[in-house]
Amino acid sequence: MSEFGKAGIAVRNIQRANADAVARLSGYGVATVHEAQGRTGLLRSYMRPIYPGAAACGTAVTVLAQPGDNWMLHVAAELIRPGDIVVVAVTTDNDDGMFGDLLATSFRARGAVGLVIDAGVRDAATLAEMKFPVWSRAICARGTVKATLGSVNVPIICAGMLVEPGDAIVADDDGVAVVPRERVAAVADAAEARDKKEAATRKRLAAGELGLDIYGMRDALAKAGLKYVD
Amino acid sequence: MSEFGKAGIAVRNIQRANADAVARLSGYGVATVHEAQGRTGLLRSYMRPIYPGAAACGTAVTVLAQPGDNWMLHVAAELIRPGDIVVVAVTTDNDDGMFGDLLATSFRARGAVGLVIDAGVRDAATLAEMKFPVWSRAICARGTVKATLGSVNVPIICAGMLVEPGDAIVADDDGVAVVPRERVAAVADAAEARDKKEAATRKRLAAGELGLDIYGMRDALAKAGLKYVD
Amino acid sequence: MSEFGKAGIAVRNIQRANADAVARLSGYGVATVHEAQGRTGLLRSYMRPIYPGAAACGTAVTVLAQPGDNWMLHVAAELIRPGDIVVVAVTTDNDDGMFGDLLATSFRARGAVGLVIDAGVRDAATLAEMKFPVWSRAICARGTVKATLGSVNVPIICAGMLVEPGDAIVADDDGVAVVPRERVAAVADAAEARDKKEAATRKRLAAGELGLDIYGMRDALAKAGLKYVD
Amino acid sequence: MSEFGKAGIAVRNIQRANADAVARLSGYGVATVHEAQGRTGLLRSYMRPIYPGAAACGTAVTVLAQPGDNWMLHVAAELIRPGDIVVVAVTTDNDDGMFGDLLATSFRARGAVGLVIDAGVRDAATLAEMKFPVWSRAICARGTVKATLGSVNVPIICAGMLVEPGDAIVADDDGVAVVPRERVAAVADAAEARDKKEAATRKRLAAGELGLDIYGMRDALAKAGLKYVD
Amino acid sequence: MSEFGKAGIAVRNIQRANADAVARLSGYGVATVHEAQGRTGLLRSYMRPIYPGAAACGTAVTVLAQPGDNWMLHVAAELIRPGDIVVVAVTTDNDDGMFGDLLATSFRARGAVGLVIDAGVRDAATLAEMKFPVWSRAICARGTVKATLGSVNVPIICAGMLVEPGDAIVADDDGVAVVPRERVAAVADAAEARDKKEAATRKRLAAGELGLDIYGMRDALAKAGLKYVD
Amino acid sequence: MSEFGKAGIAVRNIQRANADAVARLSGYGVATVHEAQGRTGLLRSYMRPIYPGAAACGTAVTVLAQPGDNWMLHVAAELIRPGDIVVVAVTTDNDDGMFGDLLATSFRARGAVGLVIDAGVRDAATLAEMKFPVWSRAICARGTVKATLGSVNVPIICAGMLVEPGDAIVADDDGVAVVPRERVAAVADAAEARDKKEAATRKRLAAGELGLDIYGMRDALAKAGLKYVD
């Protein structure tokens, strides 16, 4: 990962996760995908959708930006391919509003299906009307400059998680998960299996059966020393 | 309170607040209930409903959980009685998603009317569709293990407030309040009185009268030294 | 600014920003207004609307309150003129619920069009039903006393920004901006110009043109050393 | 606990933990005491000593204060007995400087051996010179009023933990722990036992032996599925 | 205050607070000065000295910087006069290390007696060795660029408080206070009076007298309804 | 990076950065090293030394731990080689005291020269006496369990930065920086060059020369539009 964290680079051609596998993955929520890949890949929970019901699944175009500077988002726009989600990290904590309805218009025109940004966004009401899904750390009207280089399509750490260009991104009301490019098909398989199993369990729970019995926890609890008192 | 903070205990039978008194209390909001019991009983304000309009009133089944471990929520499910709200404290600050739509299905099947959890929850969109009201410190997809004992139905401190099993819980858009079991009827009386008085005041304020005059504040302000300047 | 931060004063007559200029300003969002006055005037981004879609524009009646004490909001009510927004600072960080539906009823009866408060509010559901727009740092049911003087209509610092009585306030989903009284007309002009320009840009971006080309960024990026890699 | 959270009460006579047991407890650190009572009793970790090396052990005189108001600390001063530590909770989050060198002089003159306050303190340099140990959430010069009643010697929740009047308090660089009055002797016994055991373990670890072997962890790790890779 | 918040200006000649008055003020701590001017002027308490015992008093040279950009600190260096303290605000929250031992060397050579910065600093160990007093929101090694203009010697809001060029700044272990230029002599007088009065009170408290009696609080407490219980 | 984030693995043999290069790197501070590698590699600034003057440089043994569970630190102890620094990430935010004087004794006996942990530590006073340098997010006495597997010597993200086993770690009062294994010699070279250059600059600044002149900033400032006003 020689370009990790390096400023001044824009990589034109990246290898994206297989489109069919990403399509299959899009049928599952963040919680399911995170579990399906062994409880990994979750961005920190301060990353929240800017409107309820936002959901997206796509391949990552990554951006490393400087605080208060959204120059590289314009560079990224050109490198978007249909089905991409732009994922933005900043070199330091920053809530400035790096993205608004103009960039959303541009990103959508280029085929982007969403934005994940470890900074702020603005024009939140318009973005919601446009149904352009965004996950961010803040909503903040503060404008940014275009003065200092970052990079596009280098590995980044966004909200505490490593994201490499072309990785699959799944995002919904529960947050954002990243699936490494080469694991997408396997994770979609595991998600499907988990989903089926949960559907069966849900029925039993709805009928009043207890997880204690369905999952067979009573022995382990007793062994651990749980004491029931009247 | 000998079991306070102690792990490894599940109390089967608890004395719940009187059901009729709880029913009367359910007619009032958190702000009113908090005032009606002398400005006490409020959980810290970081406890937020996961969807707008969430409201619940019931009796507390308490859970003390370990960080990243939701084992005791399954133990709690069995001890829920219709009309209960499960109230979960964790032994340390933790945002992991301890509760999702499967547990909600189970809790509802057992009669629970809501959840108050000083940790994270996931499947937020599904919980909102189910109209299962939840107050939490975070929405977070991160999964949990089932490895270390906590307790059920012992006194806990949830979001800075003492909650004892069987206490009444009132929760709405303004947050969460707890009313000690034996005070529920008295607090419902006081809430009713306050509510009536506020209705009368509201009319006068709507007509343009000032709080300064309705509450007779002018003398006290002058005495305190307030100076009007033109 | 001799009364800055001083407690115990209520100024009856303040000079408000020109009503026509404020009316013109009300046609633009916070992000536009903030840019139009040279990226200044924004309150910190922790100030959030209590319901989606809240929007307001008016002239500031300022309040300096003590922690846990809403006495001065009653003093402010009398000094509200139609078209005002009450802007409340507290002498120290405090989330208590200083404002609820009764005060909202009173403020509206006096002509107020909104509230900006660097503290908490309660009765959030009722305020949303009333469509009384509020921006606050917290929703919190905790009640307050009426014991210690603050001031009304003195210069305050609210959420990190200086607000003087009579300044124009613009607030929407993106946050809150203040425009100094004497600059309102000029800022409205600049906002209008910016808005027109953005409308044209939006069309070009929607058609797939790139900001890189529209804004002519390619040379500056190359000069700064950006390297495209395949 | 009928007075829990109630304002307006000062309890003159409280039953303090046995002085000899408290003296024995004072020989052990917070981490040891917390473990010795089953990993309970710890205040949240934002409570920090105001100077390095601060350490104290005594019996709690509890104070419930209002935000920005230190009136009840003066009431508490009279009720201090030699060997007491004053423990202060506030009805809401507040960092104001409620305590400084004058109150420290007074408290010391009455026999207090320290202060634990879920708020701010000031005159930090003087307190350090006086070697009056204080644990607080903030150092803040902001002054307070004396306007609204709280209580003295009622049960409080301080930094997330229940403290009852007369409980033992142990505090050092690692934070603050409370030991319920009636458990002090038993916890001192357990702390002594733990301390001895740790001394033996420390020697073995210093000699290069591994915890894996001393605690016999290898089997459990293998069973849990740990895989060693070269 | 027409230049408030405006970028791109450096004011060469500012009117500084009277040097003799500042010298008198320097004999008092932050808590005393804050009280002496009516409990105003305190910066928020997250501004902490980077080493224990740091203390400074001087006149403000103000800097408005951009996030991650310390260009204007170099502009400020030239405008420092002996006895100045440089006070830095950033247009948005930012912890980057804008100041280190090189700038400290330069500032000291120009006569500066300290730095107050609502951002980060680095070379903390060297700054402590140099005894160059600094109050900051963070210690952070992250470097900054020199790309975007801010301003020097315009009014700023630093850590929530208005600071105008030439105002007096007092800073110690308790935080940072600003005294408006024209009030310095009066505040020094009030601080002296307060200091004398406190010295007398301290003696009485040290002798075991109670604040309740010295300040005559017993009647007011009884009137407020305080109940003593045995 | 196939094992990224994966639990249940302990890698025995890792390739460490060249010892001579690490030794050379140890002569430079964190700020210098961070700049020398192009302003990358810095952990977030909440990672603070637990005592003033702590400094360490070594090669990373990485640990991925579960919240409230320090089991893997014991596994790591066995894999420490002289000159290592143990770097600990947790799968979720957690402040529990995972490390104390016993583990420090063990780690030191195995040759470790420090600890960097994105969680809490306890026995802080003893660790300071031992001069065992630790950088952590918290000091917290809360004990941990040994119940759930993590990993040792897999790539981790610690405090927002990627750390791979065998990377060089530099830590001092300014925070913590990581240097990828293969870049250590080059970064040491760059640090040396920077250090020499700064020494020369320091002399000129100490003599009163301005950075404006030394760095030749005046033209760029004028071009950017800076206006000097008298």
PDB file of all heavy atoms in Angstrom, chain D residues 34-35 39 42 174 202 208 212 218 227-230, chain F residues 8 10 12 78 101 109-110 122-124 142-144 149:
ATOM      1  N   HIS D  34     -11.642  -1.772  43.529  1.00  0.00           N
ATOM      2  CA  HIS D  34     -12.693  -2.052  42.544  1.00  0.00           C
ATOM      3  C   HIS D  34     -12.765  -3.542  42.229  1.00  0.00           C
ATOM      4  O   HIS D  34     -13.853  -4.143  42.194  1.00  0.00           O
ATOM      5  CB  HIS D  34     -12.397  -1.207  41.286  1.00  0.00           C
ATOM      6  CG  HIS D  34     -12.929  -1.706  40.001  1.00  0.00           C
ATOM      7  ND1 HIS D  34     -14.264  -1.665  39.683  1.00  0.00           N
ATOM      8  CD2 HIS D  34     -12.307  -2.241  38.913  1.00  0.00           C
ATOM      9  CE1 HIS D  34     -14.436  -2.153  38.465  1.00  0.00           C
ATOM     10  NE2 HIS D  34     -13.278  -2.499  37.981  1.00  0.00           N
ATOM     11  N   GLU D  35     -11.624  -4.162  42.045  1.00  0.00           N
ATOM     12  CA  GLU D  35     -11.615  -5.612  41.788  1.00  0.00           C
ATOM     13  C   GLU D  35     -12.069  -6.384  43.029  1.00  0.00           C
ATOM     14  O   GLU D  35     -12.800  -7.375  42.930  1.00  0.00           O
ATOM     15  CB  GLU D  35     -10.204  -6.083  41.398  1.00  0.00           C
ATOM     16  CG  GLU D  35      -9.707  -5.571  40.057  1.00  0.00           C
ATOM     17  CD  GLU D  35     -10.257  -6.366  38.868  1.00  0.00           C
ATOM     18  OE1 GLU D  35     -10.918  -7.396  39.081  1.00  0.00           O
ATOM     19  OE2 GLU D  35     -10.014  -5.934  37.718  1.00  0.00           O
ATOM     20  N   ARG D  39     -15.562  -5.914  40.871  1.00  0.00           N
ATOM     21  CA  ARG D  39     -15.600  -4.965  39.745  1.00  0.00           C
ATOM     22  C   ARG D  39     -16.816  -4.054  39.765  1.00  0.00           C
ATOM     23  O   ARG D  39     -17.507  -3.885  38.752  1.00  0.00           O
ATOM     24  CB  ARG D  39     -15.552  -5.710  38.410  1.00  0.00           C
ATOM     25  CG  ARG D  39     -14.199  -6.242  38.144  1.00  0.00           C
ATOM     26  CD  ARG D  39     -14.041  -6.795  36.763  1.00  0.00           C
ATOM     27  NE  ARG D  39     -12.767  -7.505  36.745  1.00  0.00           N
ATOM     28  CZ  ARG D  39     -12.505  -8.553  36.000  1.00  0.00           C
ATOM     29  NH1 ARG D  39     -13.413  -9.013  35.172  1.00  0.00           N
ATOM     30  NH2 ARG D  39     -11.325  -9.117  36.061  1.00  0.00           N
ATOM     31  N   LEU D  42     -16.992   1.849  40.663  1.00  0.00           N
ATOM     32  CA  LEU D  42     -16.106   2.829  40.051  1.00  0.00           C
ATOM     33  C   LEU D  42     -16.889   4.000  39.482  1.00  0.00           C
ATOM     34  O   LEU D  42     -17.864   3.799  38.745  1.00  0.00           O
ATOM     35  CB  LEU D  42     -15.365   2.130  38.905  1.00  0.00           C
ATOM     36  CG  LEU D  42     -13.974   2.605  38.563  1.00  0.00           C
ATOM     37  CD1 LEU D  42     -13.049   2.505  39.760  1.00  0.00           C
ATOM     38  CD2 LEU D  42     -13.429   1.753  37.433  1.00  0.00           C
ATOM     39  N   ASP D 174      -5.815   6.606  39.484  1.00  0.00           N
ATOM     40  CA  ASP D 174      -6.629   5.766  38.598  1.00  0.00           C
ATOM     41  C   ASP D 174      -8.102   6.136  38.616  1.00  0.00           C
ATOM     42  O   ASP D 174      -8.886   5.553  37.867  1.00  0.00           O
ATOM     43  CB  ASP D 174      -6.484   4.295  39.002  1.00  0.00           C
ATOM     44  CG  ASP D 174      -5.154   3.710  38.554  1.00  0.00           C
ATOM     45  OD1 ASP D 174      -4.432   4.379  37.794  1.00  0.00           O
ATOM     46  OD2 ASP D 174      -4.823   2.581  38.973  1.00  0.00           O
ATOM     47  N   ARG D 202       3.755 -10.858  40.478  1.00  0.00           N
ATOM     48  CA  ARG D 202       4.644  -9.823  39.929  1.00  0.00           C
ATOM     49  C   ARG D 202       6.088 -10.342  39.857  1.00  0.00           C
ATOM     50  O   ARG D 202       6.780 -10.129  38.860  1.00  0.00           O
ATOM     51  CB  ARG D 202       4.563  -8.560  40.786  1.00  0.00           C
ATOM     52  CG  ARG D 202       5.253  -7.353  40.153  1.00  0.00           C
ATOM     53  CD  ARG D 202       5.060  -6.085  40.983  1.00  0.00           C
ATOM     54  NE  ARG D 202       3.679  -5.634  40.977  1.00  0.00           N
ATOM     55  CZ  ARG D 202       2.839  -5.712  42.004  1.00  0.00           C
ATOM     56  NH1 ARG D 202       3.240  -6.210  43.166  1.00  0.00           N
ATOM     57  NH2 ARG D 202       1.595  -5.293  41.886  1.00  0.00           N
ATOM     58  N   GLY D 208      10.300 -13.187  33.914  1.00  0.00           N
ATOM     59  CA  GLY D 208      10.140 -13.589  32.518  1.00  0.00           C
ATOM     60  C   GLY D 208       9.095 -14.661  32.290  1.00  0.00           C
ATOM     61  O   GLY D 208       8.804 -15.017  31.143  1.00  0.00           O
ATOM     62  N   LEU D 212       0.354 -16.381  30.375  1.00  0.00           N
ATOM     63  CA  LEU D 212      -0.220 -17.562  29.726  1.00  0.00           C
ATOM     64  C   LEU D 212      -0.025 -18.815  30.564  1.00  0.00           C
ATOM     65  O   LEU D 212      -0.918 -19.667  30.654  1.00  0.00           O
ATOM     66  CB  LEU D 212       0.433 -17.781  28.348  1.00  0.00           C
ATOM     67  CG  LEU D 212       0.117 -16.775  27.250  1.00  0.00           C
ATOM     68  CD1 LEU D 212       0.894 -17.132  25.986  1.00  0.00           C
ATOM     69  CD2 LEU D 212      -1.386 -16.745  26.963  1.00  0.00           C
ATOM     70  N   ARG D 218      -3.460 -21.325  28.274  1.00  0.00           N
ATOM     71  CA  ARG D 218      -3.227 -21.899  26.945  1.00  0.00           C
ATOM     72  C   ARG D 218      -4.358 -22.808  26.475  1.00  0.00           C
ATOM     73  O   ARG D 218      -4.758 -22.769  25.303  1.00  0.00           O
ATOM     74  CB  ARG D 218      -1.893 -22.641  26.914  1.00  0.00           C
ATOM     75  CG  ARG D 218      -0.700 -21.702  27.078  1.00  0.00           C
ATOM     76  CD  ARG D 218       0.626 -22.415  26.792  1.00  0.00           C
ATOM     77  NE  ARG D 218       1.752 -21.592  27.189  1.00  0.00           N
ATOM     78  CZ  ARG D 218       2.343 -20.686  26.402  1.00  0.00           C
ATOM     79  NH1 ARG D 218       1.908 -20.496  25.179  1.00  0.00           N
ATOM     80  NH2 ARG D 218       3.364 -19.981  26.842  1.00  0.00           N
ATOM     81  N   LYS D 227      -5.559 -19.555  16.675  1.00  0.00           N
ATOM     82  CA  LYS D 227      -4.628 -20.259  15.789  1.00  0.00           C
ATOM     83  C   LYS D 227      -3.316 -19.509  15.733  1.00  0.00           C
ATOM     84  O   LYS D 227      -3.277 -18.334  15.386  1.00  0.00           O
ATOM     85  CB  LYS D 227      -5.202 -20.347  14.372  1.00  0.00           C
ATOM     86  CG  LYS D 227      -6.145 -21.515  14.221  1.00  0.00           C
ATOM     87  CD  LYS D 227      -6.711 -21.599  12.816  1.00  0.00           C
ATOM     88  CE  LYS D 227      -8.038 -22.346  12.903  1.00  0.00           C
ATOM     89  NZ  LYS D 227      -9.024 -21.875  11.940  1.00  0.00           N
ATOM     90  N   TYR D 228      -2.243 -20.222  16.047  1.00  0.00           N
ATOM     91  CA  TYR D 228      -0.919 -19.628  15.905  1.00  0.00           C
ATOM     92  C   TYR D 228      -0.437 -19.858  14.484  1.00  0.00           C
ATOM     93  O   TYR D 228      -0.543 -20.953  13.949  1.00  0.00           O
ATOM     94  CB  TYR D 228       0.064 -20.232  16.905  1.00  0.00           C
ATOM     95  CG  TYR D 228      -0.089 -19.656  18.291  1.00  0.00           C
ATOM     96  CD1 TYR D 228      -0.919 -20.257  19.239  1.00  0.00           C
ATOM     97  CD2 TYR D 228       0.595 -18.490  18.668  1.00  0.00           C
ATOM     98  CE1 TYR D 228      -1.067 -19.726  20.516  1.00  0.00           C
ATOM     99  CE2 TYR D 228       0.455 -17.960  19.939  1.00  0.00           C
ATOM    100  CZ  TYR D 228      -0.379 -18.570  20.857  1.00  0.00           C
ATOM    101  OH  TYR D 228      -0.502 -18.040  22.107  1.00  0.00           O
ATOM    102  N   VAL D 229       0.083 -18.796  13.878  1.00  0.00           N
ATOM    103  CA  VAL D 229       0.558 -18.847  12.500  1.00  0.00           C
ATOM    104  C   VAL D 229       2.015 -18.416  12.496  1.00  0.00           C
ATOM    105  O   VAL D 229       2.391 -17.535  13.261  1.00  0.00           O
ATOM    106  CB  VAL D 229      -0.269 -17.850  11.640  1.00  0.00           C
ATOM    107  CG1 VAL D 229       0.167 -17.879  10.190  1.00  0.00           C
ATOM    108  CG2 VAL D 229      -1.758 -18.144  11.775  1.00  0.00           C
ATOM    109  N   ASP D 230       2.815 -19.016  11.647  1.00  0.00           N
ATOM    110  CA  ASP D 230       4.229 -18.605  11.615  1.00  0.00           C
ATOM    111  C   ASP D 230       4.511 -17.589  10.511  1.00  0.00           C
ATOM    112  O   ASP D 230       3.616 -17.208   9.759  1.00  0.00           O
ATOM    113  CB  ASP D 230       5.133 -19.833  11.450  1.00  0.00           C
ATOM    114  CG  ASP D 230       5.283 -20.567  12.775  1.00  0.00           C
ATOM    115  OD1 ASP D 230       5.329 -19.883  13.824  1.00  0.00           O
ATOM    116  OD2 ASP D 230       5.305 -21.812  12.769  1.00  0.00           O
TER     117      ASP D 230
ATOM    118  N   GLY F   8      -8.879 -14.235  16.187  1.00  0.00           N
ATOM    119  CA  GLY F   8      -8.538 -15.641  16.367  1.00  0.00           C
ATOM    120  C   GLY F   8      -7.204 -16.067  15.803  1.00  0.00           C
ATOM    121  O   GLY F   8      -6.932 -17.256  15.684  1.00  0.00           O
ATOM    122  N   ALA F  10      -2.850 -15.555  15.936  1.00  0.00           N
ATOM    123  CA  ALA F  10      -1.639 -15.003  16.542  1.00  0.00           C
ATOM    124  C   ALA F  10      -0.469 -15.362  15.639  1.00  0.00           C
ATOM    125  O   ALA F  10      -0.183 -16.546  15.426  1.00  0.00           O
ATOM    126  CB  ALA F  10      -1.417 -15.569  17.944  1.00  0.00           C
ATOM    127  N   ARG F  12       3.311 -15.638  14.931  1.00  0.00           N
ATOM    128  CA  ARG F  12       4.515 -15.734  15.763  1.00  0.00           C
ATOM    129  C   ARG F  12       5.670 -14.920  15.209  1.00  0.00           C
ATOM    130  O   ARG F  12       6.347 -14.198  15.935  1.00  0.00           O
ATOM    131  CB  ARG F  12       4.978 -17.199  15.846  1.00  0.00           C
ATOM    132  CG  ARG F  12       4.137 -18.064  16.728  1.00  0.00           C
ATOM    133  CD  ARG F  12       4.806 -19.445  16.841  1.00  0.00           C
ATOM    134  NE  ARG F  12       3.841 -20.481  17.120  1.00  0.00           N
ATOM    135  CZ  ARG F  12       3.480 -20.821  18.361  1.00  0.00           C
ATOM    136  NH1 ARG F  12       3.991 -20.205  19.400  1.00  0.00           N
ATOM    137  NH2 ARG F  12       2.584 -21.770  18.547  1.00  0.00           N
ATOM    138  N   GLU F  78       4.062 -13.141  24.970  1.00  0.00           N
ATOM    139  CA  GLU F  78       4.983 -14.198  24.545  1.00  0.00           C
ATOM    140  C   GLU F  78       5.686 -13.865  23.232  1.00  0.00           C
ATOM    141  O   GLU F  78       6.772 -14.383  22.946  1.00  0.00           O
ATOM    142  CB  GLU F  78       4.211 -15.520  24.401  1.00  0.00           C
ATOM    143  CG  GLU F  78       5.116 -16.717  24.171  1.00  0.00           C
ATOM    144  CD  GLU F  78       4.328 -18.031  24.132  1.00  0.00           C
ATOM    145  OE1 GLU F  78       3.124 -17.993  23.766  1.00  0.00           O
ATOM    146  OE2 GLU F  78       4.894 -19.072  24.461  1.00  0.00           O
ATOM    147  N   ASP F 101       0.168  -2.570  36.144  1.00  0.00           N
ATOM    148  CA  ASP F 101       1.587  -2.770  36.456  1.00  0.00           C
ATOM    149  C   ASP F 101       2.027  -4.222  36.299  1.00  0.00           C
ATOM    150  O   ASP F 101       3.203  -4.477  36.014  1.00  0.00           O
ATOM    151  CB  ASP F 101       1.908  -2.225  37.852  1.00  0.00           C
ATOM    152  CG  ASP F 101       1.462  -3.147  38.955  1.00  0.00           C
ATOM    153  OD1 ASP F 101       0.257  -3.478  38.996  1.00  0.00           O
ATOM    154  OD2 ASP F 101       2.304  -3.561  39.774  1.00  0.00           O
ATOM    155  N   ALA F 109       9.871  -7.410  31.093  1.00  0.00           N
ATOM    156  CA  ALA F 109      10.728  -8.598  31.227  1.00  0.00           C
ATOM    157  C   ALA F 109      10.970  -9.258  29.869  1.00  0.00           C
ATOM    158  O   ALA F 109      12.005  -9.887  29.646  1.00  0.00           O
ATOM    159  CB  ALA F 109      10.091  -9.595  32.204  1.00  0.00           C
ATOM    160  N   ARG F 110       9.985  -9.117  28.969  1.00  0.00           N
ATOM    161  CA  ARG F 110      10.134  -9.708  27.633  1.00  0.00           C
ATOM    162  C   ARG F 110      10.869  -8.785  26.675  1.00  0.00           C
ATOM    163  O   ARG F 110      11.104  -9.157  25.522  1.00  0.00           O
ATOM    164  CB  ARG F 110       8.747 -10.028  27.029  1.00  0.00           C
ATOM    165  CG  ARG F 110       7.827 -10.845  27.914  1.00  0.00           C
ATOM    166  CD  ARG F 110       8.296 -12.220  28.236  1.00  0.00           C
ATOM    167  NE  ARG F 110       8.367 -13.089  27.052  1.00  0.00           N
ATOM    168  CZ  ARG F 110       8.643 -14.376  27.088  1.00  0.00           C
ATOM    169  NH1 ARG F 110       8.911 -14.983  28.247  1.00  0.00           N
ATOM    170  NH2 ARG F 110       8.708 -15.079  25.994  1.00  0.00           N
ATOM    171  N   ARG F 122      -4.518   1.216  33.830  1.00  0.00           N
ATOM    172  CA  ARG F 122      -4.646   1.532  35.245  1.00  0.00           C
ATOM    173  C   ARG F 122      -3.296   1.330  35.935  1.00  0.00           C
ATOM    174  O   ARG F 122      -2.329   0.992  35.285  1.00  0.00           O
ATOM    175  CB  ARG F 122      -5.749   0.704  35.884  1.00  0.00           C
ATOM    176  CG  ARG F 122      -5.590  -0.800  35.758  1.00  0.00           C
ATOM    177  CD  ARG F 122      -6.865  -1.474  36.293  1.00  0.00           C
ATOM    178  NE  ARG F 122      -6.687  -2.906  36.456  1.00  0.00           N
ATOM    179  CZ  ARG F 122      -7.599  -3.713  36.965  1.00  0.00           C
ATOM    180  NH1 ARG F 122      -8.775  -3.219  37.357  1.00  0.00           N
ATOM    181  NH2 ARG F 122      -7.376  -5.001  37.096  1.00  0.00           N
ATOM    182  N   ASP F 123      -3.277   1.566  37.231  1.00  0.00           N
ATOM    183  CA  ASP F 123      -2.002   1.579  37.965  1.00  0.00           C
ATOM    184  C   ASP F 123      -1.097   2.670  37.383  1.00  0.00           C
ATOM    185  O   ASP F 123       0.128   2.492  37.280  1.00  0.00           O
ATOM    186  CB  ASP F 123      -1.290   0.218  37.906  1.00  0.00           C
ATOM    187  CG  ASP F 123      -2.159  -0.924  38.418  1.00  0.00           C
ATOM    188  OD1 ASP F 123      -2.950  -0.703  39.353  1.00  0.00           O
ATOM    189  OD2 ASP F 123      -2.053  -2.036  37.879  1.00  0.00           O
ATOM    190  N   ALA F 124      -1.700   3.784  37.032  1.00  0.00           N
ATOM    191  CA  ALA F 124      -0.967   4.840  36.339  1.00  0.00           C
ATOM    192  C   ALA F 124       0.219   5.345  37.158  1.00  0.00           C
ATOM    193  O   ALA F 124       1.300   5.604  36.612  1.00  0.00           O
ATOM    194  CB  ALA F 124      -1.913   5.998  36.012  1.00  0.00           C
ATOM    195  N   ARG F 142     -11.201   0.402  35.632  1.00  0.00           N
ATOM    196  CA  ARG F 142     -12.141  -0.696  35.411  1.00  0.00           C
ATOM    197  C   ARG F 142     -11.448  -1.952  34.877  1.00  0.00           C
ATOM    198  O   ARG F 142     -10.731  -1.910  33.882  1.00  0.00           O
ATOM    199  CB  ARG F 142     -13.252  -0.280  34.437  1.00  0.00           C
ATOM    200  CG  ARG F 142     -14.380  -1.335  34.384  1.00  0.00           C
ATOM    201  CD  ARG F 142     -15.581  -0.852  33.604  1.00  0.00           C
ATOM    202  NE  ARG F 142     -16.114   0.382  34.139  1.00  0.00           N
ATOM    203  CZ  ARG F 142     -16.965   0.453  35.181  1.00  0.00           C
ATOM    204  NH1 ARG F 142     -17.375  -0.651  35.769  1.00  0.00           N
ATOM    205  NH2 ARG F 142     -17.386   1.616  35.608  1.00  0.00           N
ATOM    206  N   GLY F 143     -11.707  -3.062  35.522  1.00  0.00           N
ATOM    207  CA  GLY F 143     -11.092  -4.328  35.164  1.00  0.00           C
ATOM    208  C   GLY F 143     -11.732  -4.965  33.940  1.00  0.00           C
ATOM    209  O   GLY F 143     -12.832  -4.583  33.532  1.00  0.00           O
ATOM    210  N   THR F 144     -11.041  -5.930  33.377  1.00  0.00           N
ATOM    211  CA  THR F 144     -11.501  -6.572  32.149  1.00  0.00           C
ATOM    212  C   THR F 144     -11.587  -8.078  32.330  1.00  0.00           C
ATOM    213  O   THR F 144     -10.987  -8.643  33.241  1.00  0.00           O
ATOM    214  CB  THR F 144     -10.531  -6.269  30.992  1.00  0.00           C
ATOM    215  OG1 THR F 144      -9.203  -6.576  31.430  1.00  0.00           O
ATOM    216  CG2 THR F 144     -10.600  -4.815  30.588  1.00  0.00           C
ATOM    217  N   LEU F 149     -11.798 -14.055  21.866  1.00  0.00           N
ATOM    218  CA  LEU F 149     -10.551 -13.948  21.117  1.00  0.00           C
ATOM    219  C   LEU F 149     -10.475 -12.655  20.306  1.00  0.00           C
ATOM    220  O   LEU F 149     -11.465 -12.178  19.769  1.00  0.00           O
ATOM    221  CB  LEU F 149     -10.419 -15.106  20.135  1.00  0.00           C
ATOM    222  CG  LEU F 149     -10.162 -16.481  20.727  1.00  0.00           C
ATOM    223  CD1 LEU F 149      -9.899 -17.478  19.592  1.00  0.00           C
ATOM    224  CD2 LEU F 149      -8.980 -16.475  21.689  1.00  0.00           C
TER     225      LEU F 149
END
